[in-house]
Amino acid sequence: MSSPSIRRVLENDRARAGILILIGIVATTVFGPLFVPSPTAYLGIPLSPPSMDHWFGTTGQGQSVVAQTLVGGRPTLLVAFGSAAMVVSLASIIGGIAGYCGGKIDNILNMLINVFLLLPGLPLMVVLAAWLPPGPITLMMVLSLTGWAWSARVIRSQVAIYRERDFVQAARLAGIAHLRIILLDILPNMLSLLLSTFIGAAIYAIGAQVGLEFLGLGDVSVITWGTNLYWASNDAALLTGSWWTFVPTGLCIALVAFSLTLIGYGMDEVNNPRLQSKRLWKKRVPTSARPDWTEVQR
């Protein structure tokens, strides 16, 4: 994606709103814990509702919900974006080599991609998360291993198209190394696709990560958004009506997914003008250049 395309993405209303929301959430999770008490400190009566003393109430152990929500965002977003980066890297390497080389190498790597696509994702995640030692590194490995195949297939098909372009043929005739051509010539021209892949992988990762931790397959001693929901479930928050123990965490998860979805929609509108709404079309097309639909109908 060239700089004009990046500027067009920033000018898109949906993408700009998504970026602002995401920046606000990241900034809050990074700097917010500096202004709240320790998330493990006992502050009051367990399961106390929101009040002036505790804005988000307390957990079943008498800890601050707002502190656990802010502190829990750091490892959750780190795992989500880290696993998304690993998915893009793994899919780019395998899909790029398969699409560029073709022949037997393409057949072997394509078979590997198909095997991972045929494996059931959710059971595989549960088995790997239960078998490997808990921790953020384990979660990133599990999420990347179960989520790279589909992206690799898309990248493989695009690299196969770029392989026949003139600038790639010229680079090959110049004797430039094949891996250098893939990394420096082909993949930079697919930056829009790679960014879309990263956004989709991040949305998938945050949902899968929270789901695994909610089932108790993560490190429950680490404060994350997933473990917050896990402990709220253990405290029977739904049965006791203690909605404040899980609603803030759920809203944060939804806002992150919503912001990433907005960015993805904005990028799609920039790359495909047919997806642009009527409002954006009216904004960009001057009144004098619009057709007279009444005359057209006649």
Side-chain angles (χ1 to χ4, degrees):
M1 182 182 295
S2 60
S3 56
S5 298
I6 295 176
R7 185 172 62 252
R8 289 178 59 192
V9 170
L10 296 177
E11 292 174 353
N12 184 274
D13 293 338
R14 292 181 178 179
R16 186 166 58 245
I19 292 172
L20 291 176
I21 294 173
L22 186 60
I23 291 176
I25 294 174
V26 172
T28 302
T29 57
V30 171
F31 300 106
L34 300 175
F35 304 98
V36 295
S38 172
T40 59
Y42 178 81
L43 299 179
I45 301 174
L47 297 181
S48 297
S51 62
M52 294 301 296
D53 295 330
H54 309 292
W55 292 355
F56 287 7
T58 60
T59 67
Q61 291 76 38
Q63 299 157 344
S64 173
V65 173
V66 63
Q68 293 201 344
T69 302
L70 294 177
V71 173
R74 290 180 177 180
T76 301
L77 295 178
L78 179 63
V79 170
F81 294 141
S83 60
M86 292 175 65
V87 165
V88 173
S89 301
L90 192 59
S92 299
I93 292 173
I94 297 178
I97 293 175
Y100 180 83
C101 295
K104 294 182 179 180
I105 296 178
D106 183 24
N107 293 334
I108 295 173
L109 294 179
N110 191 35
M111 182 177 64
L112 177 65
I113 294 172
N114 291 332
V115 168
F116 273 87
L117 285 175
L118 292 174
L119 292 175
L122 180 59
L124 181 60
M125 278 194 300
V126 172
V127 170
L128 290 176
W131 178 62
L132 296 172
I137 301 299
T138 297
L139 284 175
M140 284 193 287
M141 291 177 57
V142 170
L143 295 174
S144 59
L145 286 175
T146 57
W148 67 272
W150 175 256
S151 301
R153 167 167 284 188
V154 176
I155 292 174
R156 167 185 169 270
S157 62
Q158 291 297 314
V159 171
I161 296 174
Y162 275 101
R163 181 182 60 189
E164 306 300 329
R165 297 288 179 87
D166 293 338
F167 70 92
V168 175
Q169 296 296 330
R172 297 177 67 176
L173 292 175
I176 300 176
H178 298 307
L179 185 60
R180 184 181 178 87
I181 295 175
I182 296 174
L183 296 178
L184 300 182
D185 292 332
I186 297 180
L187 291 181
N189 287 282
M190 298 168 51
L191 183 57
S192 177
L193 174 61
L194 297 179
L195 290 176
S196 299
T197 301
F198 179 86
I199 291 173
I203 296 174
Y204 162 81
I206 193 170
Q209 173 194 179
V210 171
L212 291 174
E213 291 176 337
F214 176 74
L215 295 175
L217 297 176
D219 189 354
V220 295
S221 64
V222 178
I223 298 175
T224 66
W225 286 343
T227 57
N228 288 347
L229 298 180
Y230 170 80
W231 289 114
S233 176
N234 280 358
D235 295 333
L238 288 176
L239 295 178
T240 59
S242 305
W243 54 268
W244 57 87
T245 60
F246 59 87
V247 167
T249 296
L251 287 177
C252 290
I253 297 170
L255 280 175
V256 172
F258 178 65
S259 63
L260 291 173
T261 303
L262 285 178
I263 297 173
Y265 279 148
M267 293 177 57
D268 290 340
E269 287 183 349
V270 170
N271 294 324
N272 188 358
R274 294 183 179 181
L275 298 178
Q276 294 181 3
S277 63
K278 185 178 181 181
R279 177 177 56 83
L280 291 176
W281 180 80
K282 287 183 177 180
K283 181 179 178 180
R284 290 182 177 178
V285 179
T287 305
S288 59
R290 299 175 191 172
D292 188 352
W293 297 110
T294 58
E295 295 296 333
V296 172
Q297 292 175 355
R298 291 178 183 177

